[in-house]
Amino acid sequence: MVRRIASQVHQQVSRLMRADYIKQEPAWYQAVLNHPPLPLPPKAPPSRTEYDLLPKKPTTGKMRPLATKPLPIYYIEDDIRRQFFRDHPFEAFRPTTLVEGAAIKDEHPIRGEKWARLRQRGRNPTAEDAIRFAVNLYQHHSLSLTDSYARAVSQFRALRSEHYIATKYAVMEARYLGGTFVASEIQHGFNKEVRNLDSWERREELDEGAIAARKRWKAIVERQDGANQWSRGQEYVRLWKEGIKPSYAPSITEPIAQHSQITHTPTRS
């Protein structure tokens, strides 16, 4: 018998029985047929029957190679979502809570033909609610995709406007009655950014003050007569011939006044 792996033994025995090579059915044969072993590994897939294969078509000439690339996955929601955020780009910046969307929620009871208005799922809809409502109108209310999107967007904008006006007047009423509002985390972030920008401007002022302070300290040199005149060394030669030594530091050669020579002048208070 040809060497086979364990999952192909019953197949080989079946072929040998059909060829009358094995006269008597083995005792384990029916048990293996009722509980077949695991299929072959992916590197050696089992042969498929004619029932699983596509019907063969008569071909003339050369056959084109089969496409190995997977087919694109397409959902109609992607087209609506792309157009919605193109028309409402700032909806992408609206903060959302990731904790509330962590679990998969049950399907809303209002759906299908019962869902005829966007307000039925709340007065503060999200962008995804508007997209699902447009798809629902297209699939269950016999509307074209353009009409479904236009109706969903118009109702979404109306509910957004209503919610904005109601919130604004509620804040005005609360402030009139003495209510106070604590700054949000976003406002705290803006305040920190403003303080940092102010510190940068203050740093530039301090740097300019330090530079000005350094410029105030400069050497004070006592200028002598003729220091800015160039005599080509004639004055020096004349003094040398007369035996007069030049004085480069008058404060050292001049006599110092003694303490007894200093008189104090009384001042009137």
Side-chain angles (χ1 to χ4, degrees):
M1 182 181 294
V2 182
R3 185 179 179 87
R4 297 285 181 178
I5 60 178
S7 60
Q8 293 180 339
V9 173
H10 65 288
Q11 298 177 0
Q12 182 67 13
V13 171
S14 177
R15 287 192 290 269
L16 294 176
M17 289 174 60
R18 287 198 301 269
D20 292 335
Y21 187 83
I22 297 178
K23 304 298 183 181
Q24 187 176 2
E25 180 180 315
W28 51 265
Y29 184 71
Q30 291 297 331
V32 173
L33 293 182
N34 295 333
H35 304 282
L38 296 176
L40 297 177
K43 292 185 178 180
S47 59
R48 299 176 61 181
T49 61
E50 295 293 337
Y51 180 79
D52 296 334
L53 299 177
L54 294 174
K56 297 182 179 180
K57 298 181 181 180
T59 57
T60 57
K62 297 182 179 180
M63 296 179 62
R64 293 188 302 175
L66 297 176
T68 57
K69 295 182 179 180
L71 297 177
I73 301 176
Y74 172 76
Y75 293 99
I76 192 173
E77 291 88 343
D78 296 338
D79 293 340
I80 300 177
R81 185 177 292 105
R82 192 178 298 110
Q83 183 63 35
F84 180 86
F85 283 105
R86 189 181 294 115
D87 297 337
H88 308 81
F90 291 101
E91 287 296 326
F93 297 97
R94 190 176 296 276
T96 57
T97 303
L98 299 179
V99 178
E100 294 180 359
I104 300 177
K105 298 181 180 180
D106 297 335
E107 186 66 24
H108 201 280
I110 301 176
R111 61 180 183 270
E113 296 182 357
K114 297 180 180 179
W115 195 15
R117 295 185 62 82
L118 185 58
R119 185 190 292 269
Q120 293 177 259
R121 290 197 179 184
R123 295 192 174 185
N124 187 20
T126 61
E128 291 299 324
D129 293 337
I131 294 170
R132 293 174 184 173
F133 180 62
V135 175
N136 186 79
L137 292 177
Y138 174 72
Q139 294 178 348
H140 299 281
H141 291 271
S142 302
L143 294 176
S144 63
L145 190 60
T146 304
D147 295 339
S148 302
Y149 176 77
R151 183 176 297 185
V153 167
S154 62
Q155 296 186 22
F156 174 78
R157 292 173 181 174
L159 292 176
R160 278 290 186 195
S161 178
E162 180 181 346
H163 182 267
Y164 172 76
I165 294 173
T167 305
K168 187 174 182 179
Y169 275 90
V171 171
M172 294 172 61
E173 183 179 359
R175 288 178 177 175
Y176 179 78
L177 296 176
T180 57
F181 297 92
V182 181
S184 61
E185 294 297 330
I186 298 176
Q187 188 62 34
H188 282 301
F190 280 121
N191 295 338
K192 290 182 180 180
E193 184 177 358
V194 170
R195 286 196 296 269
N196 290 332
L197 293 176
D198 294 340
S199 64
W200 292 349
E201 296 178 358
R202 182 62 179 167
R203 187 181 305 170
E204 293 180 357
E205 294 178 0
L206 294 176
D207 294 342
E208 294 177 358
I211 294 172
R214 287 196 297 268
K215 288 183 178 180
R216 295 193 193 100
W217 296 96
K218 60 182 179 180
I220 301 176
V221 182
E222 295 182 359
R223 298 188 179 276
Q224 302 178 3
D225 295 338
N228 295 331
Q229 299 177 4
W230 171 245
S231 62
R232 295 177 296 181
Q234 295 177 2
E235 186 67 18
Y236 179 81
V237 175
R238 184 183 65 79
L239 295 175
W240 172 67
K241 289 181 179 180
E242 294 178 359
I244 301 173
K245 295 181 179 180
S247 177
Y248 298 103
S251 60
I252 298 177
T253 58
E254 291 179 356
I256 302 174
Q258 299 297 330
H259 181 71
S260 60
Q261 298 176 358
I262 300 175
T263 58
H264 295 277
T265 304
T267 59
R268 296 179 179 178
S269 59

